[in-house]
Amino acid sequence: MKIEQIYTGCLAQGAYYIVSEGEAAIIDPLRETQPYIERLEKDRVTLKYIFETHFHADFVSGHVGLSKKTGAPIVYGPPADPEFEAVIAEDGQVFEIGKIKIKVLHTPGHTMESASFLLVDENGKEKALFSGDTLFLGDVGRPDLAQKEESVTQEELAGLLYDSLYQKILSLNDEITVCPAHGAGSACGKNMQKETVDTLGNQKKTNYALNQKDKESFIKAVTDGLLPPPAYFGMNVAMNKKGYISFDEVLAKGLRAFSPEEFEETAEHSGALILDVRNHDTFAESFVPQSVNIGLEGDFAPWAGTLIADVKQPILLITDENSEEEAVTRLSRVGFDYVLGFLKGGFEAWKNSGKETDTVSRISAQQFENEIKDKNVNILDVRKESEYRAEHVDGAYNKPLAYINEWILQIDPMEHFYLHCAGGYRSMMAAGILQARGFRNFTEIKGGFNAVSKTGVPKSNFVCQRKRYTQFK
């Protein structure tokens, strides 16, 4: 028997590859299927089942494409109702892969159809629990992602989650390995640990949600402090439930190469968003006007989903050389199937053609310190609220990047402000969006708060109550 976690850091997502006696199962695969096909061929095994823990919201699973290519059935727990052929298992139903067994545990709470899969080895020992988004390490799945037609509140889902955990999972033996669908960084939870697998016994000791005195306190604990889910979540659920076009088709279309002239003409007539995925420092120096920056080196796909939101938005890419396939692949993982192509030769080709370029007004942290000394200035911090609360520039106003489509409407275009995040990755996203929408009244701080913290700029570790920056109110 072999159990392998295939972890994708950008999505903080764990898929699982299980092999026994020439047969295999894959749990929650990513959308691009070729790596799994190659793994199966290399191991000379047959894919018998594709298990889906639920209709995922934060990424498009590879279940449909993988099933079409291999013939392996897709298995959901009750009461899933996908719009494609699938096996809807009963609670407690057992599936055999070689000499091992997978037992379905219906564990609603994160969603109504959420299921966990209990692996029993060849000796009859309960070995691992593939808990999906029901149980994370240090946390549990957020209970506010019910589909509209289900008419269930987050409190009701949280109550179901309590029953699932305390009646079906906590009764399992402590030695079982918990294999969740996500780790730290995923928007599907709020308090996840950095580890990606753990024993159930240790989770019983360290997971706050598994140490509540009663159902009422559990519901309060898991619903407290939930931020609104990203807008693309609902669209990803729909794709996972209804099906989608093949990844191969998305990739072929997205890898169309445009000359600068073709790129410009396509942008003008298609309504496409120009997405520049180069490093944020490189982008700041010079870029195609009206383009937006989301760097590939960071949490690219989740940020694309959060900031662009509409997965049907046509996109034109500007990448470093040979990075276009990675960009198209990672966009497809969160449902963006309408990449029209990329700029052949990258930004250098655009610049060498003599076309117009743009830049971001930027200063160093030391310059920032000198400029604001003894002055009443506006400072906008786009980090998460938790980062801001820990420490921030004295007097800075916090507007997290995730909500830029809301707070951008409140900005006074006539009043200048300074812009920063932790290191520049997020503030450059904000800068690109601001300039694409006509705002030029800001200066971005290179290196962000990490650089500012090394200067003499006054800092605070409490929330500033004096909201003096009227344009952000």
Side-chain angles (χ1 to χ4, degrees):
M1 178 184 70
K2 177 172 71 172
I3 303 172
E4 181 180 350
Q5 182 186 68
I6 304 172
Y7 199 79
T8 304
C10 180
L11 294 173
Q13 188 268 343
Y16 296 90
Y17 175 70
I18 305 162
V19 173
S20 175
E21 298 295 313
E23 295 182 336
I26 295 177
I27 300 174
D28 294 336
L30 283 183
R31 187 171 183 182
E32 60 272 25
T33 59
Q34 191 56 35
Y36 303 115
I37 301 295
E38 292 173 358
R39 184 75 58 90
L40 292 164
E41 291 175 348
K42 178 182 177 182
D43 291 345
R44 297 181 180 180
V45 297
T46 300
L47 183 61
K48 192 172 184 181
Y49 296 111
I50 301 162
F51 292 99
E52 286 286 295
T53 55
H54 63 296
F55 295 124
H56 302 280
D58 61 313
F59 73 101
V60 178
S61 180
H63 55 310
V64 174
L66 193 56
S67 180
K68 287 180 179 178
K69 288 188 175 183
T70 65
I74 303 166
V75 180
Y76 283 96
D81 56 345
E83 297 181 20
F84 46 81
E85 186 175 349
V87 175
I88 309 303
E90 297 179 0
D91 186 27
Q93 186 170 345
V94 173
F95 295 81
E96 295 184 358
I97 299 99
K99 291 186 177 181
I100 66 172
K101 295 179 174 67
I102 298 286
K103 183 179 180 180
V104 178
L105 304 180
H106 183 213
T107 50
H110 174 63
T111 64
M112 291 299 293
E113 80 287 350
S114 286
S116 300
F117 301 113
L118 180 63
L119 185 149
V120 181
D121 70 14
E122 53 269 31
N123 299 314
K125 182 179 180 180
E126 296 176 348
K127 192 78 173 178
L129 180 72
F130 302 96
S131 56
D133 286 23
T134 297
L135 175 61
F136 296 129
L137 305 188
D139 203 357
V140 293
R142 56 189 300 166
D144 62 334
L145 300 180
Q147 299 167 44
K148 292 181 180 179
E149 64 269 20
E150 290 175 331
S151 301
V152 59
T153 68
Q154 67 176 26
E155 287 74 22
E156 289 170 330
L157 270 176
L160 289 173
L161 184 58
Y162 176 87
D163 293 339
S164 295
L165 290 165
Y166 281 74
Q167 294 175 16
K168 290 189 175 181
I169 291 180
L170 290 184
S171 59
L172 300 173
N173 71 72
D174 287 358
E175 291 73 33
I176 284 177
T177 301
V178 177
C179 303
H182 293 291
S186 169
C188 292
K190 61 182 181 179
N191 191 49
M192 289 186 245
Q193 297 167 353
K194 66 179 185 293
E195 294 81 11
T196 60
V197 293
D198 194 12
T199 63
L200 181 58
N202 193 51
Q203 283 304 300
K204 290 177 181 179
K205 297 175 184 177
T206 62
N207 191 318
Y208 79 95
L210 305 184
N211 288 279
Q212 299 299 317
K213 62 181 181 180
D214 54 33
K215 191 172 188 177
E216 182 180 356
S217 61
F218 175 90
I219 293 172
K220 184 177 186 304
V222 301
T223 57
D224 183 51
L226 285 175
L227 298 173
Y232 75 100
F233 269 27
M235 301 177 195
N236 278 196
V237 169
M239 294 177 72
N240 283 317
K241 185 175 182 180
K242 296 178 180 180
Y244 44 79
I245 62 176
S246 74
F247 169 73
D248 296 338
E249 184 178 339
V250 173
L251 185 61
K253 183 173 59 178
L255 293 183
R256 181 181 177 185
F258 291 107
S259 68
E261 290 72 25
E262 293 170 328
F263 189 89
E264 185 174 44
E265 182 178 355
T266 302
E268 290 176 355
H269 292 93
S270 66
L273 170 74
I274 302 175
L275 180 60
D276 190 324
V277 304
R278 296 176 298 155
N279 175 271
H280 60 276
D281 289 328
T282 304
F283 176 86
E285 295 174 0
S286 192
F287 56 90
V288 174
Q290 300 298 304
S291 60
V292 172
N293 175 242
I294 305 178
L296 270 179
E297 78 273 14
D299 292 334
F300 172 72
W303 275 119
T306 299
L307 298 177
I308 303 173
D310 183 2
V311 297
K312 294 184 179 180
Q313 167 67 51
I315 294 172
L316 284 167
L317 289 172
I318 299 174
T319 72
D320 289 323
E321 188 176 4
N322 298 323
S323 294
E324 55 273 3
E325 182 171 343
E326 180 185 359
V328 175
T329 298
R330 290 170 68 176
L331 284 169
S332 76
R333 290 174 181 167
V334 288
F336 289 96
D337 288 356
Y338 297 91
V339 179
L340 305 182
F342 66 98
L343 178 60
K344 185 177 182 180
F347 179 72
E348 287 302 311
W350 179 274
K351 186 171 65 174
N352 293 338
S353 70
K355 294 188 179 298
E356 181 183 358
T357 62
D358 201 355
T359 188
V360 169
S361 173
R362 196 177 213 202
I363 59 173
S364 68
Q366 190 60 55
Q367 287 174 297
F368 172 64
E369 180 181 20
N370 295 334
E371 287 189 15
I372 70 170
K373 192 170 296 184
D374 301 322
K375 293 180 182 178
N376 185 13
V377 298
N378 300 328
I379 306 165
L380 182 59
D381 183 337
V382 299
R383 296 177 299 162
K384 294 178 182 178
E385 184 179 347
S386 58
E387 296 172 276
Y388 174 83
R389 284 180 177 274
E391 188 176 33
H392 56 268
V393 174
D394 194 16
Y397 200 80
N398 182 226
K399 286 292 182 181
L401 173 64
Y403 309 114
I404 189 171
N405 290 321
E406 299 170 13
W407 56 255
I408 198 171
L409 302 175
Q410 305 164 0
I411 292 177
D412 180 352
M414 304 304 293
E415 194 163 358
H416 178 268
F417 61 94
Y418 294 92
L419 176 71
H420 78 84
C421 63
Y425 182 75
R426 286 171 287 179
S427 58
M428 195 52 59
M429 292 187 226
I433 293 171
L434 285 162
Q435 292 196 180
R437 299 189 190 180
F439 294 95
R440 314 286 303 194
N441 57 319
F442 66 90
T443 302
E444 194 261 354
I445 305 168
K446 184 176 182 179
F449 188 76
N450 294 338
V452 172
S453 64
K454 298 174 183 177
T455 70
V457 173
K459 291 168 281 291
S460 302
N461 59 0
F462 59 90
V463 177
C464 180
Q465 299 297 321
R466 187 163 61 94
K467 301 178 181 179
R468 67 188 182 190
Y469 307 137
T470 58
Q471 74 270 38
F472 300 130
K473 289 183 179 179

